[in-house]
Amino acid sequence: MSASRRVVLLAGGVGGSTFARGLREHLRRTDPHARITIVANTGDDMWLTGVRLQPDVDSLLYALAGVNDTERGWGRAGESERVSAELRAWGAGWPWFTLGDLDLGTHLARTGWLREGAGVAEVVRRLCGRWPIGAEILPMTEAEVDTIVTVRDGADERPMHFQEWWTRYRASLEPVRFDNPGVAEAEPAPGVARAIADADVVVVAPSNPVVSVGPIVAVPGIRVALRETDAPVVGVSPIIGGRAVRGMAEVCLAAIGAECSASGVAQLYGARDDGGLLDAWLVAEEDAGAAPAVDALGIRAGVAPLWMRDLETSAALAAAALELARRGSAGR
Ligand code: GDP
Ligand code: CA
């Protein structure tokens, strides 16, 4: 490979940040001048007690900065919850939603800058400037397009914020559908379309297809950029052996009538040649049998170990994804 690569990663929080760390590690070893641009899901964002939360942006930032709580799987290491206890005593906010004290520092900084008139991309840039994270994180859009889940409630249906459904009800209320109100009019955040156009490869992280990758690719300008870029688009399956590794992808996929399988998610994303998202799709060794079905969709299938147990296995997974993209892009 001659010139250093420009890699764009579409990512949600936990699966996205684990993969992002592996990608950065792999590139440090093989292509130290490579540039990583992460387009982060902002569908999880919300207002709570007057502050703006951006869970997936923060998960990516904390993980790449190495200040995340690896045991709990979210938030900051060494976190305390004194402010949350006070908010509960005041009866403010959501009693079932804990805001860590360090995390609140992030939210207050963000909210202050937003109130002073900075755009969302500029705010994320300032947050990312605190640590040398070796990647650029861009919010998918600056518009507020928080994910709303419509749940079945007896004979009725009612909408609630994605965070309430997930954190309060642990996804136990049956979802009917997921919407990002306003997303059809939302523009990609500054820099996003350009990064995709200039990329040498675009990677779709092993993130939740419905509530992480779904909102990103629902931004019309991002769809167009992905369709038009000369870069190959390769995805990594978040499903291993027919199951979501962590999180609530299974119930999300069921709600939208997609099959919870490696080929089911490939079908949901679709082949780029066919108006969809993907040129190539990396499935787990456990799902090697799904490869012909993926190929039949017009998406080149690859098979690799997909468990991200540590930095080493995550870096190997990133290497496999880039290799799969490279194999098909010769002559493109
Ligand atoms: P969230 O925003 O915190 O929900 O995180 P993401 O959407 O980025 O990631 C959640 C997805 O990551 C789930 O669908 C999991 O199946 C997937 N995931 C988590 N760990 C792994 C792993 O080790 N390997 C793979 N292939 N997928 C994983
Ligand atoms: Ca998320």
Side-chain angles (χ1 to χ4, degrees):
M1 180 115 348
S2 50
S4 292
R5 280 168 291 183
R6 287 159 298 185
V7 183
V8 169
L9 178 68
L10 311 186
V14 172
S17 62
T18 310
F19 184 86
R21 278 172 54 92
L23 176 66
R24 180 181 64 178
E25 181 63 22
H26 168 66
L27 290 171
R28 270 182 183 160
R29 296 173 189 171
T30 58
D31 189 1
H33 298 293
R35 288 220 314 265
I36 303 173
T37 302
I38 302 172
V39 179
N41 172 42
T42 61
D44 287 11
D45 296 8
M46 67 165 182
W47 288 101
L48 187 61
T49 54
V51 295
R52 186 68 173 158
L53 276 51
Q54 296 196 287
D56 286 0
V57 167
D58 291 351
S59 292
L60 287 159
L61 170 60
Y62 295 161
L64 288 169
V67 300
N68 56 319
D69 186 326
T70 49
E71 258 161 51
R72 211 171 38 167
W74 54 273
R76 291 282 295 273
E79 187 61 286
S80 53
E81 295 168 1
R82 295 192 66 196
V83 178
S84 256
E86 276 299 286
L87 287 170
R88 262 192 294 279
W90 287 115
W94 286 348
W96 37 266
F97 197 91
T98 300
L99 294 164
D101 297 336
L102 298 176
D103 213 12
L104 261 166
T106 311
H107 306 327
L108 289 174
R110 171 169 32 238
T111 307
W113 289 327
L114 288 171
R115 293 244 158 89
E116 287 160 21
V120 180
E122 167 62 16
V123 167
V124 172
R125 197 187 65 74
R126 288 186 200 172
L127 293 173
C128 292
R130 177 164 172 194
W131 295 286
I133 61 172
E136 181 183 25
I137 301 174
L138 300 175
M140 66 194 205
T141 181
E142 297 198 306
E144 287 181 12
V145 294
D146 304 10
T147 301
I148 303 298
V149 192
T150 301
V151 299
R152 215 181 296 286
D153 187 4
D156 295 333
E157 294 182 354
R158 75 187 155 99
M160 66 174 67
H161 194 287
F162 168 76
Q163 295 293 355
E164 182 175 8
W165 176 72
W166 174 233
T167 308
R168 180 178 193 179
Y169 296 104
R170 309 309 307 175
S172 63
L173 300 178
E174 186 191 341
V176 180
R177 57 171 200 279
F178 299 87
D179 297 296
N180 296 93
V183 77
E185 293 78 42
E187 303 269 347
V192 170
R194 198 356 126 27
I196 294 170
D198 290 349
D200 296 302
V201 55
V202 177
V203 184
V204 182
S207 287
N208 187 307
V210 182
V211 296
S212 291
V213 178
I216 300 174
V217 300
V219 177
I222 294 183
R223 273 258 164 209
V224 171
L226 289 168
R227 198 161 300 155
E228 291 180 350
T229 182
D230 289 332
V233 181
V234 59
V236 179
S237 174
I239 307 297
I240 301 180
R243 305 211 47 187
V245 183
R246 288 185 275 258
M248 64 338 241
E250 296 174 21
V251 53
C252 297
L253 286 165
I256 64 163
E259 190 184 276
C260 183
S261 68
S263 57
V265 176
Q267 186 173 5
L268 174 67
Y269 288 161
R272 204 147 72 107
D273 286 344
D274 202 20
L277 191 61
L278 299 172
D279 297 309
W281 184 238
L282 198 57
V283 305
E285 293 169 317
E286 294 89 331
D287 299 315
V294 173
D295 284 325
L297 294 165
I299 301 168
R300 191 172 60 263
V303 179
L306 251 53
W307 288 97
M308 298 184 288
R309 290 195 174 81
D310 48 29
L311 188 58
E312 214 45 60
T313 48
S314 305
L317 177 53
L322 295 185
E323 174 59 24
L324 177 63
R326 201 184 58 81
R327 251 194 281 150
S329 66
R332 230 191 115 88

